[in-house]
Amino acid sequence: MKYLGPIVEARLLARNRQDGRDKPTTTFAVHDFCLHSEWVQQLRSELEQAAQESTHVDPESLPLLECFIQESVRSNTSDASKADHLRDLHDTSNGQVVSGRRKAIVPFEFSDGLRVPEGDWVCLPQQAIMHDARYYPRPEMFDPMRFFKTNGARPRFTDVGSKWPIWGLGTAACFLKMHLAWVLLRTYQGFVAVAATADPHSRPSQSCCQRLQAAIPGKLHYANDPAYNVSLATYWSTQERMLSPRCVLTPDSTQDVSKALGALAGSTTCRFAVKSGGHMAQAGAANIQDGVTIDLSGINHFSISEDKKFATIGPGLRWSQVYTNLAAYGLAVPGGRSGQVGVGGYLLGGGSSYFVGHGLGCDNVAAYEVVLSSGAVVNVTASSQSDLFKSLKGGSSNFGIVTSFQMHAFQLGAIWGGNIYYPAEPTVDKQLSAFVNFTGNPSYDINAAVQMSISFSPSVGNVFVNQPFYALPQVNPPALRPFTDIQPQLANQAALSTLPPFAITDGAASPDGSR
């Protein structure tokens, strides 16, 4: 990328000096490749996987690559400004096909009454269409995933339509679009492969994994090892699963983590990621391409203090496991709403829970056991290592690897709550009014919480999904009735329960690998 970027910049500058008759689509795509290098490893992984499955890599097997090119075309589409662009109905200047421009050979009248005299031109405003938030939410962002659908029903680069008019419209659409798209995908495929392998940081030395193997024998796993595959299969998002680390380390103690960081500390090229539950959405949050992923799932200890005021929890546990263990003592802590969320990332990132009266999850951590970058192990509290104590409350894994959390516990019995589904259109005003009044209530009931989201069902359309929660065994408490009284309702699952099954049910609605 260091060398490719300046070349593309020069190409774009040369293009701007010309008459606009070059074909810059590939140039723009490679330029975006340089600007958004965070996609390099995902694109490269897709190419490698396709190459492993077949000696002939069919562009049809590269959906992420196609989505990247679609987003590049969408982002860079601009309307031609030179009159000579109109001479050729299939001119591709300015990054777009000009088949959306037509000359009236006879007087013409549109259905809305607009009249076009003979000899005038009619132009399709591609730039406005491609940057219209009604069609492409948050159009200012470069996001190839807007075109990616896990069920396979995704827009295609060769589509023709009013929301994707790059090939023209109707019977006048470019008849060479299939061939041109195939050539473009093939060309860009080559750029991805060359740039990724040329990047000196894309393939860290195998010595990083060898160092770990020597320091912690038997706990390092490579591609196709069962433990390696299990680690990748337990990420929540597809983006994280698409990354392929060079090796996965599965420590089961603080000492293992200390040895690992000690082994890596002597190198400036060993890149690694840390995984607890792997529930973050973005690629690279808890996994890494061609680096080392340290999977903490084996550090899953749990204990309760004698006075039952504190719970000591390993980062490898999921919150459903923590809640189940605590329920045996009639206790709880403010943790993740979904049962499959991991302890480590949640507490280090802040952590929003059902128990609003107790603040964020990180507010309830009394002590951390942390392995520093040198391999040293320190105990961190408000009075010992106070700066680090504050930094860990939202600082993620940037300051060390936490191998144990001590949390304040509180008593909890039965609770009430569950999902309630409403059609959006007839209830939207009531929903927003209830939400505003609930959050702005000066007499806020700290036992009450509600999670509001908007979803879509093909059979119903837009749907409000509210999840009222009450931290006492009281059915339909007054604080939550502004939501529960809204009609009509499609389904109402609210009921008395306990925290473990409640969190497990919440997580089941969004299982691992579904995003």
Side-chain angles (χ1 to χ4, degrees), residues 319-320 322-327 339 412 497-505:
W319 285 108
S320 59
V322 175
Y323 294 150
T324 300
N325 291 337
L326 286 167
L412 182 72
S497 182
T498 57
L499 186 57
F502 191 87
I504 291 171
T505 299

Side-chain angles (χ1 to χ4, degrees), residues 35-362:
L35 292 176
H36 306 284
S37 58
E38 68 273 16
W39 293 94
V40 171
Q41 299 304 340
Q42 293 186 67
L43 290 166
R44 178 170 174 265
S45 295
E46 183 178 70
L47 283 171
E48 288 183 341
Q49 182 177 353
Q52 290 174 0
E53 295 173 355
S54 173
T55 56
H56 173 71
V57 179
D58 186 345
E60 289 292 317
S61 66
L62 304 171
L64 183 59
L65 177 58
E66 183 176 11
C67 290
F68 189 97
I69 295 176
Q70 284 179 275
E71 180 66 353
S72 180
V73 170
R74 186 201 66 80
S75 299
N76 294 292
T77 298
S78 58
D79 293 314
S81 58
K82 296 183 179 181
D84 59 357
H85 288 177
L86 304 178
R87 296 173 184 169
D88 184 356
L89 296 182
H90 294 289
D91 191 346
T92 54
S93 58
N94 270 333
Q96 64 182 359
V97 174
V98 194
S99 56
R101 292 163 171 80
R102 292 292 179 265
K103 184 177 183 179
I105 59 176
V106 295
F108 184 82
E109 183 175 341
F110 285 92
S111 59
D112 62 357
L114 176 65
R115 295 181 178 180
V116 182
E118 179 182 349
D120 274 12
W121 288 88
V122 178
C123 301
L124 192 67
Q126 294 191 28
Q127 185 180 53
I129 293 172
M130 296 298 207
H131 291 80
D132 192 324
R134 293 173 299 175
Y135 307 141
Y136 301 100
R138 303 184 71 179
E140 73 283 356
M141 291 185 60
F142 187 88
D143 181 18
M145 297 306 292
R146 72 172 77 244
F147 293 102
F148 190 86
K149 305 295 181 184
T150 55
N151 62 6
R154 59 183 175 83
R156 306 308 299 266
F157 183 52
T158 52
D159 284 351
V160 174
S162 58
K163 298 178 184 178
W164 185 254
I166 66 166
W167 304 107
L169 293 174
T171 57
C174 178
F175 66 94
L176 292 175
K177 63 186 179 70
M178 298 299 294
H179 175 72
L180 293 174
W182 186 88
V183 171
L184 178 59
L185 283 166
R186 280 293 191 186
T187 303
Y188 193 53
Q189 176 185 333
F191 275 116
V192 173
V194 171
T197 55
D199 185 348
H201 298 292
S202 67
R203 287 186 176 273
S205 172
Q206 183 69 15
S207 64
C208 301
C209 295
Q210 293 171 346
R211 289 184 184 202
L212 292 172
Q213 181 64 46
I216 316 172
K219 297 179 181 179
L220 198 70
H221 312 278
Y222 293 91
N224 297 323
D225 287 352
Y228 181 101
N229 295 335
V230 168
S231 180
L232 289 186
T234 51
Y235 284 101
W236 181 58
S237 76
T238 301
Q239 296 95 305
E240 283 280 66
R241 292 185 178 202
M242 290 174 67
L243 299 182
S244 300
R246 178 64 62 87
C247 56
V248 172
L249 180 69
T250 55
D252 55 23
S253 67
T254 300
Q255 290 70 32
D256 284 348
V257 176
S258 175
K259 292 177 182 178
L261 290 186
L264 298 175
S267 171
T268 59
T269 60
C270 291
R271 301 175 302 119
F272 63 90
V274 183
K275 175 192 177 188
S276 173
H279 200 263
M280 288 293 286
Q282 68 268 27
N287 198 11
I288 191 168
Q289 180 67 35
D290 282 332
V292 178
T293 294
I294 301 176
D295 187 333
L296 301 178
S297 58
I299 306 179
N300 52 14
H301 56 268
F302 175 88
S303 64
I304 294 290
S305 63
E306 290 187 7
D307 59 7
K308 296 186 179 180
K309 292 184 178 180
F310 297 96
T312 301
I313 305 166
L317 289 172
R318 306 292 182 108
W319 285 108
S320 59
Q321 297 170 301
V322 175
Y323 294 150
T324 300
N325 291 337
L326 286 167
Y329 300 90
L331 300 173
V333 294
R337 292 187 293 255
S338 295
Q340 80 267 41
V341 172
V343 166
Y346 172 89
L347 289 176
L348 292 174
S352 178
S353 79
Y354 292 117
F355 305 101
V356 294
H358 292 270
L360 296 175
C362 66

